[in-house]
Amino acid sequence: MDKILLKIARLSILEEFENKKLINKNEFIKEHPFLLEERASFVTLKIDANLRGCIGSILPRMPLIDDVIYNAKQAAFSDPRFPPLTYEEYEKIKIEVSVLTIPEKVEYEDEKDLKRKIRPKVDGIILALADKQATFLPSVWDELPLFEIFFGHLCMKAGMNGDCLKYHPVIYKYQTQSIEED
């Protein structure tokens, strides 16, 4: 994954503070044609290894450059879990950009079968049941390494009880390529 994505994410946040355009999309695309590919991304912001914002797309819906710009601004200023980023925080954040593969549906019989088909630390998961849905990136396995705890938290993130797997939700898995600032 190219460090240019980190630069685009950082500049897109800085644009909001400086109230002017800092990204010449045509120049970036000319040098890095892959930025035109329709891809889904997540932008994660951390301060001192603590989450400070994370917003992303699950499905590709626009060129990668536009997706990263949009998600970086959303992570900084519109993540409902945090107040908008301040300039003082901007100078401290570490940015991570994750580009997702196309999610694939996991056919499974029961929880035991699902456990065999999911690869911790490799697969990101989308869980959907009725009108509720949530996702965890593969990196969340670092914080929630046990299958039961990972899925319990994912159920709760979707607004359901932690035991929602017993209702056989629809499960998709995907992988990410991630790059983070040093």
Side-chain angles (χ1 to χ4, degrees), residues 100-154:
L100 283 61
T101 61
I102 303 290
E104 59 183 68
K105 188 173 182 180
V106 179
E107 301 293 345
Y108 66 101
E109 299 295 319
D110 54 24
E111 192 172 324
K112 193 174 171 183
D113 185 35
L114 179 64
K115 191 172 184 176
R116 281 195 300 269
K117 294 179 177 179
I118 300 299
R119 298 169 300 169
K121 297 188 180 239
V122 175
D123 294 327
I125 303 296
I126 301 165
L127 177 146
L129 186 64
D131 64 340
K132 298 181 187 286
Q133 177 176 299
T135 189
F136 277 156
L137 294 170
S139 59
V140 175
W141 288 102
D142 294 339
E143 298 161 44
L144 307 170
L146 299 175
F147 177 91
E148 294 76 12
I149 295 171
F150 182 94
F151 275 91
H153 278 77
L154 186 56

Side-chain angles (χ1 to χ4, degrees), residues 83-94:
L85 194 74
T86 65
Y87 187 75
E88 291 72 32
E89 289 174 311
Y90 170 78
E91 294 183 324
K92 297 178 192 169
I93 59 169
K94 297 265 188 240

Side-chain angles (χ1 to χ4, degrees), residues 7-101:
K7 183 175 185 179
I8 290 167
R10 186 164 282 282
L11 284 173
S12 63
I13 296 168
L14 188 59
E15 280 184 347
E16 296 299 305
F17 289 117
E18 296 196 0
N19 203 18
K20 65 180 180 185
K21 281 278 175 219
L22 300 172
I23 297 172
N24 182 332
K25 288 202 290 189
N26 291 333
E27 262 182 38
F28 279 120
I29 291 166
K30 189 175 168 187
E31 284 184 45
H32 309 277
F34 77 92
L35 293 171
L36 274 179
E37 294 173 18
E38 283 204 5
R39 299 290 300 272
S41 69
F42 268 76
V43 176
T44 304
L45 310 178
K46 291 184 177 180
I47 297 177
D48 299 325
N50 294 310
L51 184 66
R52 181 54 182 84
C54 181
I55 299 285
S57 316
I58 294 174
L59 296 171
R61 54 184 167 56
M62 63 181 80
L64 181 57
I65 188 170
D66 295 322
D67 203 63
V68 170
I69 290 169
Y70 177 80
N71 291 330
K73 290 181 182 191
Q74 292 295 111
F77 304 110
S78 299
D79 185 325
R81 299 169 290 184
F82 301 98
L85 194 74
T86 65
Y87 187 75
E88 291 72 32
E89 289 174 311
Y90 170 78
E91 294 183 324
K92 297 178 192 169
I93 59 169
K94 297 265 188 240
I95 299 174
E96 178 179 353
V97 177
S98 301
V99 179
L100 283 61
T101 61

